[in-house]
Amino acid sequence: MKLKIAIQKSGRLNEQSLKLLKDCGIYIDNGRDQLKVSATNFPMEVLFLRNGDIPQYLRDGVADLAIIGENLLYEKGEDLSIVERLGFSKCRVSIAIPKNEFYHSVDDLQGKKIATSYPNTVQKFLKKHQVEAELHKISGSVEIAPNIGLADAICDIVSSGSTLFKNNLKETEIILKSEAVLATSPNLSNEKAELLAKLQFRIQTVLKAKESKYVLLNAPNNKIDQIISILPGMKSPTLLPLAKEGWSSLHTVIQQEKFWEIIDELKLAGAEGILVCPIEKMVI
Ligand SMILES: Nc1ncnc2c1ncn2[C@@H]1O[C@H](COP(=O)(O)OP(=O)(O)OP(=O)(O)O)[C@@H](O)[C@H]1O
Ligand SMILES: O=P(O)(O)OC[C@H]1O[C@H](OP(=O)(O)OP(=O)(O)O)[C@H](O)[C@@H]1O
Ligand SMILES: [Mg+2]
């Protein structure tokens, strides 16, 4: 018995999905040309599919789980559950209009023509705000629609905003924020649920390690207490004596984002030779 995981065949999510499996110690042979590949060291089969088809495959039980954009679940798979947020492919689904158009509120979309690849998402948004607009479904290059007279507004994925900028559009409403997630089929057998739990444990181990850094620093012994009070450590930090009399080396694990907040404080408190190292796996 194998856990069948669907990942995007090619596109934005493909590379990082494969990398995540690799970081979890799951090796896949010949992922390139085949649409179905078995892992060599984990009871798993990887199905390479078109993104848009994945929610249906999950629903039908053709795939047990999938790595997919949260936005696509909102569009096509609200009945499916998210079991893990994966932290990559962060983006938002937004409404945009030509830069020079006036925009005050959602009401300005009343009676307008909106081009999008995410019709259900837009429809839900319009309904919530009691706005009636005409939807025009297109499958790609949505941002060009207003420039060629196809629509008054668009709804599409925005990340850096450069596609909007290049097409003279401005973002007026953020409908939702998205990232890659692990989603599951509704009726997993107990055996499959156990395998899923194993996979989730590995994923959490990898993700936690990514957020954290191993920090080493040197300081005079009389400054150590103050430095420890600044460090938001895992537990108590490790303290080792240096060859130099009256000095110690202090090791701890901190959240990457916290590091930038406390670095100046650490230096002021007398920390020297600060090293920040990546962590490969982290089991807590
Ligand atoms: N510019 C972006 N920045 C960050 N994430 C993005 C961006 N564009 C898309 N994504 C995310 O990646 C997912 C896949 O996008 P991509 O454009 O590769 O595939 P697609 O065109 O939706 O699907 P298909 O596999 O059918 O071609 C999207 O659902 C979204 O969650
Ligand atoms: O805000 P930005 O950083 O510019 O990213 C947004 C763009 O990225 C995606 O397109 P993609 O490149 O995936 O092309 P596609 O339309 O062929 O899917 C999305 O559909 C937007 O067009
Ligand atoms: Mg795309």
Side-chain angles (χ1 to χ4, degrees):
M1 204 243 347
K2 289 179 179 175
L3 201 56
K4 289 172 288 175
I5 183 167
I7 69 167
Q8 193 190 23
K9 181 176 174 287
S10 63
R12 296 263 179 187
L13 299 170
N14 171 270
E15 205 175 302
Q16 275 176 289
S17 304
L18 286 171
K19 168 135 192 335
L20 179 64
L21 293 181
K22 195 172 168 204
D23 289 345
C24 289
I26 298 172
Y27 295 107
I28 296 154
D29 272 346
N30 193 19
R32 290 256 145 169
D33 315 316
Q34 283 170 266
L35 299 181
K36 197 176 87 171
V37 185
S38 284
T40 52
N41 58 352
F42 194 87
M44 176 184 275
E45 204 161 59
V46 183
L47 312 178
F48 293 91
L49 301 170
R50 282 293 297 269
N51 214 28
D53 298 334
I54 291 179
Q56 192 57 41
Y57 284 126
L58 284 175
R59 206 171 279 125
D60 294 344
V62 171
D64 301 315
L65 58 152
I67 296 178
I68 190 175
E70 202 178 347
N71 60 301
L72 197 62
L73 285 180
Y74 188 77
E75 172 69 19
K76 292 186 167 180
E78 274 210 291
D79 51 326
L80 301 165
S81 4
I82 294 175
V83 291
E84 211 70 63
R85 312 182 76 78
L86 303 174
F88 60 88
S89 278
K90 289 195 176 170
C91 58
R92 46 199 192 270
V93 178
S94 295
I95 305 254
I97 64 164
K99 208 163 57 189
N100 302 326
E101 293 280 325
F102 169 82
Y103 190 88
H104 180 252
S105 75
V106 193
D107 289 334
D108 294 326
L109 294 170
Q110 195 76 41
K112 294 279 163 65
K113 209 168 170 187
I114 307 174
T116 188
S117 315
Y118 300 100
N120 295 329
T121 304
V122 185
Q123 203 56 269
K124 282 189 257 184
F125 174 79
L126 294 176
K127 197 169 167 209
K128 183 171 138 206
H129 293 278
Q130 296 174 326
V131 168
E132 297 234 359
E134 188 187 332
L135 293 192
H136 194 92
K137 193 186 172 207
I138 45 179
S139 53
S141 306
V142 175
E143 290 90 345
I144 204 169
N147 288 321
I148 56 173
L150 191 68
D152 307 302
I154 62 139
C155 173
D156 200 22
I157 285 168
V158 182
S159 175
S160 66
S162 79
T163 310
L164 291 186
F165 181 79
K166 280 186 225 152
N167 287 284
N168 278 315
L169 300 172
K170 63 179 175 191
E171 191 175 7
T172 51
E173 299 285 346
I174 297 175
I175 300 184
L176 65 106
K177 292 193 173 158
S178 172
E179 66 186 271
V181 296
L182 188 68
T184 53
S185 175
N187 299 308
L188 289 186
S189 66
N190 287 344
E191 253 180 307
K192 288 197 169 171
E194 269 174 38
L195 283 177
L196 172 63
K198 271 191 190 165
L199 176 68
Q200 276 185 266
F201 171 74
R202 292 192 188 192
I203 290 177
Q204 285 159 7
T205 304
V206 169
L207 295 182
K208 259 183 233 136
K210 267 194 199 133
E211 288 165 10
S212 306
K213 296 284 169 206
Y214 193 77
V215 176
L216 304 91
L217 59 87
N218 297 333
N221 290 342
N222 61 358
K223 301 281 175 65
I224 291 291
D225 283 346
Q226 196 193 343
I227 290 174
I228 289 177
S229 72
I230 299 168
L231 288 168
M234 223 169 144
K235 279 187 192 144
S236 161
T238 307
L239 206 54
L240 299 168
L242 287 186
K244 189 170 163 187
E245 188 70 27
W247 281 67
S248 295
S249 167
L250 193 151
H251 302 191
T252 193
V253 173
I254 66 175
Q255 296 279 60
Q256 159 139 295
E257 57 187 53
K258 289 265 165 33
F259 176 76
W260 295 110
E261 288 168 20
I262 61 166
I263 177 70
D264 291 332
E265 258 185 281
L266 285 178
K267 284 199 296 191
L268 273 176
E272 290 181 14
I274 303 171
L275 296 182
V276 181
C277 310
I279 297 172
E280 200 180 289
K281 303 279 186 304
M282 195 159 139
V283 183
I284 296 180

